């Protein structure tokens, strides 16, 4: 029987309900085939990093979920929330019940610095802090001690900027957002006065994007501090800016921030956000098991324009830092039954194909880079490969019912998209009562209680 017809729909399990999962579903529905998709998600709620990663003070970025709602409205789409692949159902179960399995499970862990003292108390990861302030249930009970005056953030990507902004903002600036209630309460008690965002390279290489840099000049409580000497660029830096207009805009933004600071526009702001460059942490030190200081080594850049690398000069300084975050990138986690590349933290794949019948898209395919929209072409490329294989795809049991029965036996409450919409409405209503755009449920049992 020809696959992908109304008599024999192409059955695809998508694992993960973030942007790459939804764009993969969209690409499949746009094909000429009749498609049945079951989208598996560990949480009862969809959208991956759009819900748990995008900063609460960036609500417009979250409007992308309207597109995902439209994709979910296709007849062949079925959300299977609250089901953990690898625990409730195995990868081989999926292989048995679907013609193709497409992993879009993202990168839920993070890269380490591998320096002494990294595991001291009050040494945190940006990824867990982001998940905590966004109300991810697995991070709900994390405690971040914000009682110290100096906080250091290593890395200068957009995640580092998000963390710095959330630490820099007043409760007034955050209270109407969908920030988790527990995070707002903790941030209201924060004693942080100095935030150091530290890059191993220079301003011309900073990984954040110009819009994010611009916002740093618009904080109610916080002055941005930059050493003017850092903004004197080398010939290689100038050549890099020629090649990369976004990096040039970043430098323009930073010069603008410096000029504002020098003109006294930030005067009297009680918090300082120090943008520091050419420094790498080489050790964290502390007494009684908690971070007190970070030892930094000055770097010099070497290499051709576009490929300049930081190398330690041996010149060391110590910075008081009672709170420390590393923000040097997310990292994918392995899943039983799927070949994993430990060096990159991604599933082994060739352009999205793991093997015939198994595919991957998004950060677990290509690593943790790019904005939400980057996932669309990534997922479309993967789906193109999947459809090229369609004549070779097979499944033993072309039916979800046995899997649903097994989940029911195990007591797993499968959450449908209609169920999610009820949770969504309840969160929005609870938010309205508090003057917030949404008040998120941060415990799985509270999400499921809406459906009881
Ligand atoms: P990222 O953009 O890759 O930035 C990682 C940062 O860590 C870079 O500054 C990098 O410096 C630094 N780094 C890496 N290893 C290091 C080490 N061993 N020591 C010191 N520094 C180190 O990653 P991200 O910030 O996690 O963001 C992930 C993706 O999500 C990015 O594409 C980002 O743009 C996107 N995102 C977008 C938004 C938004 O659109 N608003 C918000 C959040 C995230 P080098 O450059 O020297 O490697």
């Amino acid at each position: 029987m020809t696959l992908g017809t109304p008599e024999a729909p192409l059955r695809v399990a998508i694992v993960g309900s973030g942007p790459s999962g939804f764009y993969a579903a969209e690409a499949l529905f746009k094909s000429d085939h009749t498609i049945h998709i079951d989208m598996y998600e560990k949480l009862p709620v969809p959208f991956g990093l759009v819900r748990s990663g995008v900063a609460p003070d960036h609500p417009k970025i979250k409007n992308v979920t309207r597109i995902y709602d439209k994709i979910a409205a296709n007849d062949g789409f079925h959300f299977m929330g609250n089901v953990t692949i690898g625990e409730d159902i195995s990868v081989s179960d999926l292989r048995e019940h679907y013609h193709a399995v497409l992993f879009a499970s993202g990168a839920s862990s993070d890269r380490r610095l591998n320096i002494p003292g990294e595991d001291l108390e009050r040494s945190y990861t940006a990824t867990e802090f982001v998940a905590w302030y966004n109300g991810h249930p697995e991070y709900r009970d994390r405690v971040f001690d914000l009682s110290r005056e100096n906080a250091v953030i290593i890395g200068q990507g957009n995640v580092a900027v998000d963390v710095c902004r959330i630490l820099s903002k007043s409760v007034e600036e955050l209270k109407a957002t969908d920030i988790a209630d527990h995070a707002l309460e903790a941030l209201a008690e924060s004693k942080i006065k100095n935030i150091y965002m530290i890059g191993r390279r220079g301003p011309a290489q900073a990984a954040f994007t110009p819009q994010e840099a611009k916002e740093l000049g618009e904080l109610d409580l916080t002055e941005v501090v930059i050493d003017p000497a850092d903004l004197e660029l080398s010939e290689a830096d100038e050549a890099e800016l020629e090649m990369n207009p976004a990096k040039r805009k970043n430098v323009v933004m930073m010069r603008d921030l410096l000029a504002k600071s020098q003109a006294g526009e930030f005067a009297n702001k009680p918090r300082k956000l120090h943008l520091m460059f050419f420094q790498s942490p080489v050790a964290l030190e502390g007494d009684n098991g908690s971070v007190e200081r970070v030892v930094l080594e000055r770097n010099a850049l070497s290499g051709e324009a576009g490929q300049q690398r930081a190398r330690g000069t041996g010149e060391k300084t110590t910075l008081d830092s009672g709170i420390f975050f590393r923000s040097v990138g997310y990292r994918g986690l392995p899943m039983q039954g799927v070949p994993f590349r430990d060096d990159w933290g991604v599933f082994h794949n060739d352009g999205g194909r793991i093997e015939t019948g198994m595919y991957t898209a998004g950060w677990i395919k290509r690593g943790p880079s790019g904005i939400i929209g980057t996932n669309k072409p990534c997922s479309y490329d993967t789906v193109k490969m999947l459809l090229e294989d369609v004549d070779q795809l097979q499944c033993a049991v072309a039916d979800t019912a046995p899997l649903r029965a097994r989940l029911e036996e195990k007591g797993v409450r499968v959450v449908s998209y209609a169920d999610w919409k009820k949770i969504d409405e309840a969160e929005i209503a609870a938010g309205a009562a508090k003057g917030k755009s949404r008040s998120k449920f941060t415990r799985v049992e509270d999400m499921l209680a809406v459906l009881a």
Side-chain angles (χ1 to χ4, degrees):
M1 198 180 315
T2 319
L3 263 189
T5 58
E7 299 73 39
L10 176 63
R11 292 175 50 76
V12 182
I14 295 179
V15 180
S17 67
S20 55
F22 272 97
Y23 292 126
E26 182 183 63
L28 285 161
F29 287 129
K30 280 192 177 170
S31 74
D32 297 335
H33 298 77
T34 304
I35 307 282
H36 173 105
I37 292 174
D38 288 338
M39 179 181 275
Y40 287 90
E41 165 61 54
K42 191 177 183 183
L43 292 178
V45 295
F47 306 145
L49 280 184
V50 177
R51 179 177 167 105
S52 305
V54 173
D57 57 343
H58 281 167
K60 281 191 194 149
I61 297 181
K62 301 183 199 215
N63 288 342
V64 71
T65 58
R66 292 184 197 149
I67 295 170
Y68 306 157
D69 280 343
K70 283 192 188 141
I71 297 166
N74 274 283
D75 281 346
F77 182 92
H78 311 268
F79 184 61
M80 303 277 287
N82 198 34
V83 180
T84 304
I85 302 304
E87 276 178 33
D88 301 322
I89 285 185
S90 69
V91 170
S92 59
D93 290 332
L94 294 180
R95 297 295 308 267
E96 201 184 333
H97 291 81
Y98 299 89
H99 299 107
V101 184
L102 193 155
F103 296 93
S105 42
S108 53
S109 185
D110 83 307
R111 292 189 191 130
R112 291 177 63 84
L113 290 163
N114 296 319
I115 56 172
E118 194 167 13
D119 294 319
L120 286 171
E121 294 287 323
R122 295 200 306 263
S123 164
Y124 306 120
T125 73
T127 51
E128 62 187 356
F129 186 63
V130 167
W132 170 78
Y133 68 60
N134 278 322
H136 191 298
E138 288 169 11
Y139 300 83
R140 165 71 180 82
D141 295 317
R142 289 290 157 92
V143 175
F144 294 90
D145 179 350
L146 308 176
S147 66
R148 302 302 172 109
E149 290 195 357
N150 286 0
V152 165
I153 290 89
I154 300 297
Q156 293 185 327
N158 281 333
V159 171
V161 176
D162 284 348
V163 169
C164 289
R165 222 179 40 255
I166 296 299
L167 292 175
S168 301
K169 281 196 167 181
S170 63
V171 169
E172 282 304 306
E173 287 168 288
L174 293 172
K175 69 178 189 193
T177 71
D178 68 357
I179 190 166
D181 297 346
H182 59 254
L184 193 61
E185 278 165 29
L187 287 163
E189 300 298 319
S190 166
K191 299 282 182 292
I192 296 175
K193 283 193 181 152
N194 288 299
I195 300 158
Y196 299 88
M197 181 166 72
I198 302 181
R200 61 180 168 183
R201 300 190 288 160
Q205 292 81 32
F208 51 70
T209 42
Q211 175 57 30
E212 276 62 29
K214 181 167 171 278
E215 286 177 43
L216 297 179
E218 297 161 0
L219 302 165
D220 284 357
L221 295 184
T222 307
E223 164 170 20
V224 178
V225 181
I226 305 176
D227 180 349
D230 283 342
L231 286 170
E232 288 165 17
L233 304 185
S234 69
E235 261 180 47
D237 288 342
E238 292 290 358
E240 277 185 27
L241 300 190
E242 276 306 303
M243 295 186 268
N244 192 330
K247 299 282 184 211
R248 180 179 293 287
K249 263 196 187 168
N250 268 352
V251 172
V252 170
M253 287 299 164
M254 284 184 261
R255 289 198 168 128
D256 183 52
L257 289 168
L258 174 64
K260 282 183 174 154
S261 171
Q262 287 172 333
E265 277 191 42
F266 300 132
N268 303 323
K269 297 202 179 195
R271 293 182 187 165
K272 311 278 174 224
L273 170 56
H274 305 259
L275 268 53
M276 287 172 61
F277 299 94
F278 306 111
Q279 307 274 349
S280 284
V282 290
L284 301 185
E285 295 177 348
D287 318 312
N288 307 321
S290 296
V291 179
E292 298 285 353
R293 297 169 297 279
V294 51
V295 182
L296 297 168
E297 181 175 6
R298 179 96 193 152
N299 292 325
L301 299 193
S302 60
E304 285 175 24
Q307 287 163 9
Q308 295 194 78
R309 294 172 69 105
R311 291 198 200 287
T313 61
E315 183 190 331
K316 291 189 183 147
T317 48
T318 301
L319 185 61
D320 280 347
S321 161
I323 307 166
F324 181 90
F325 292 93
R326 62 175 188 258
S327 181
V328 294
Y330 283 75
R331 189 181 149 82
L333 288 176
M335 188 181 286
Q336 204 180 7
V338 190
F340 187 68
R341 272 196 73 163
D342 197 48
D343 50 349
W344 285 26
V346 298
F347 290 163
H348 247 293
N349 74 92
D350 184 6
R353 186 190 282 110
I354 297 170
E355 61 184 53
T356 306
M358 288 218 286
Y359 306 86
T360 180
W363 282 6
I364 195 63
K365 163 186 170 185
R366 61 172 208 279
S369 66
I371 57 170
I372 291 169
T374 315
N375 293 298
K376 187 167 175 173
C378 174
S379 295
Y380 271 65
D381 286 349
T382 295
V383 165
K384 190 165 172 268
M385 282 200 162
L386 186 161
L387 294 175
E388 280 167 12
D389 292 348
V390 78
D391 292 339
Q392 300 162 61
L393 299 177
Q394 298 170 358
C395 78
V397 186
D399 192 359
T400 313
L403 291 178
R404 284 189 182 276
R406 202 176 321 156
L407 288 167
E408 202 177 326
E409 257 168 47
K410 285 187 170 185
V412 177
R413 166 67 161 94
V414 179
V415 174
S416 68
Y417 212 75
D419 289 335
W420 147 243
K421 281 291 165 195
K422 286 186 197 150
I423 298 172
D424 187 32
E425 274 170 29
E427 288 190 335
I428 292 170
K434 297 177 188 168
K436 298 179 70 171
S437 57
R438 169 189 300 272
S439 179
K440 285 180 188 168
F441 294 112
T442 57
R443 299 200 187 277
V444 167
E445 54 270 31
D446 292 341
M447 296 171 180
L448 297 181
V450 176
L451 312 174

